């Protein structure tokens, strides 16, 4: 899960695994001045085999992390430094995460693949002709 230059978003109660670099990362956007702000990462189970489970580049204000089950984070002790009950605060830039996230987002050779359509039930409640 990547909150890229996001504002006022919540990553809540997800199970994230099998990622080689990050499980959940919050970073500024590709464009200058697109800091993430007031995002919440809470109650997630994150298990990345390598890299970091939780990460924030530290650019922006009030991005917080609480109640997650994880092993690694950048910065270390991310929930102690940036807990949701401790807001308001301003992040401290973490150039390791920041430069990595910007390079990944801006890489023109990065393959762009349209995700598959979600599997939906044949008949959804309230749809015309549906008797659910």
């Amino acid at each position: 899960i990547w909150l890229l230059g996001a504002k006022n978003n919540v990553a809540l109660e997800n199970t994230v695994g099998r990622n080689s670099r990050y499980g959940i990362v919050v970073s500024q956007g590709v464009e200058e001045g697109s800091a993430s702000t007031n995002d919440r990462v809470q109650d997630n189970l994150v298990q990345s085999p390598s890299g970091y489970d939780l990460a924030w580049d530290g650019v922006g204000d009030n991005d917080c992390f609480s109640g997650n089950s994880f092993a690694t984070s950048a910065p270390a002790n991310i929930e102690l430094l940036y807990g949701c009950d401790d807001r308001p605060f301003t992040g401290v830039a973490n150039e390791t995460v920041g430069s990595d996230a910007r390079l990944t987002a801006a890489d023109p050779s990065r393959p762009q693949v349209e995700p598959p359509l979600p599997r939906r039930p044949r008949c959804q409640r309230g749809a015309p002709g549906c008797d659910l």
Side-chain angles (χ1 to χ4, degrees):
I1 297 174
W2 188 359
L3 301 177
L4 177 68
K7 295 181 181 6
N8 305 313
N9 287 276
V10 178
L12 178 67
E13 297 178 354
N14 296 284
T15 299
V16 179
R18 299 187 315 171
N19 294 290
S20 61
R21 295 167 87 176
Y22 300 104
I24 301 176
V25 61
V26 178
S27 72
Q28 66 180 316
V30 180
E31 298 170 0
E32 193 66 35
S34 59
S36 60
T37 304
N38 202 38
D39 298 307
R40 183 166 45 111
V41 177
Q42 185 172 347
D43 298 333
N44 298 285
L45 170 61
V46 188
Q47 298 172 318
S48 299
S50 59
Y52 298 105
D53 294 332
L54 300 176
W56 182 29
D57 69 356
V59 178
D61 299 315
N62 300 320
D63 293 320
C64 71
F65 300 79
S66 291
N68 299 288
S69 177
F70 67 100
T72 59
S73 68
N77 300 318
I78 198 166
E79 289 193 345
L80 292 175
L81 293 170
Y82 303 111
C84 294
D85 290 339
D86 298 329
R87 293 194 275 187
F89 53 74
T90 298
V92 175
N94 182 325
E95 190 53 36
T96 301
V97 175
S99 62
D100 189 33
R102 283 191 304 278
L103 288 173
T104 301
D107 181 2
S109 65
R110 183 172 178 236
Q112 301 296 314
V113 179
E114 188 71 27
L117 292 174
R119 291 178 41 181
R120 293 193 171 105
R122 184 178 54 80
C123 187
Q124 294 181 344
R125 183 178 306 231
C130 184
D131 294 329
L132 291 180

